[in-house]
Amino acid sequence: MSNRQPSSRSCFVCGRENPVGLKVRWDQHPEAGEIRGTVTVPEHFNGYPGVTHGGIVAALLDETGGRTILMDGGFEDLMVTAKLEVVYRRPTPTGVPLLAVGRLTRRSETRAEAEAELRLPDGTVSARATVLLARPPESIVERWAEERANWRVDPD
């Protein structure tokens, strides 16, 4: 059993209306303690022909780790990345379906830690990350208020 997480309009990774975004959709799998998203990275996000740019890989891992906080909460629980440690294990190809998997490993009121990984179609992990999340300052949270009305689950 899984359920879809909401997405924003403009986020580069998940934004439904971002014309240059990746449009990843995220499902919660509480029985496994994971969130999962699938994405096929287009060739125009390569670093080398056929290989996803490392910055795009980092962005996918960053979003994956950040979304783990939503397993037990909603929009008000969003945090920002304070530290992202990425290990690139092998090239991540463009043009093939990838699975992003995230697990929350620790959480307090103001901080959280998550693990994230990208898996190739055969299950091989191409990159993994540890993500330290922090409650953002109120000045940042205030800027999110406008997007709140657009934070929703859209049908595929």
Side-chain angles (χ1 to χ4, degrees):
M1 180 62 140
S2 72
N3 49 334
R4 181 71 37 103
Q5 285 190 346
S7 294
S8 75
R9 284 178 307 154
S10 61
C11 172
F12 170 69
V13 177
C14 74
R16 299 178 314 274
E17 299 173 22
N18 187 330
V20 296
L22 295 169
K23 295 179 177 52
V24 180
R25 295 295 172 264
W26 303 94
D27 292 310
Q28 298 186 151
H29 296 265
E31 72 288 349
E34 296 178 345
I35 59 111
R36 300 177 194 152
T38 56
V39 63
T40 299
V41 179
E43 183 66 20
H44 63 264
F45 288 127
N46 73 31
Y48 295 101
V51 178
T52 303
H53 190 282
I56 301 297
V57 169
L60 286 163
L61 293 168
D62 176 47
E63 181 81 7
T64 303
R67 282 189 163 267
T68 63
I69 204 76
L70 298 175
M71 284 279 290
D72 297 322
F75 190 83
E76 292 77 20
D77 294 309
L78 290 171
M79 292 185 176
V80 294
T81 301
K83 185 177 182 181
L84 177 69
E85 292 183 13
V86 178
V87 176
Y88 298 93
R89 300 191 57 172
R90 57 187 29 91
T92 300
T94 56
V96 301
L98 304 170
L99 178 65
V101 178
R103 290 170 294 285
L104 188 64
T105 55
R106 259 191 311 196
R107 181 179 184 171
S108 71
E109 282 298 310
T110 59
R111 292 199 176 280
E113 187 175 277
E115 296 173 344
E117 59 188 31
L118 280 179
R119 297 179 187 164
L120 304 179
D122 68 0
T124 301
V125 174
S126 67
R128 64 172 29 120
T130 302
V131 186
L132 180 62
L133 303 158
R135 178 93 41 222
E138 196 56 38
S139 61
I140 299 296
V141 173
E142 288 170 3
R143 289 192 244 163
W144 296 350
E146 187 176 318
E147 185 60 27
R148 178 75 166 95
N150 299 298
W151 180 254
R152 64 176 185 263
V153 176
D154 281 347
D156 287 328

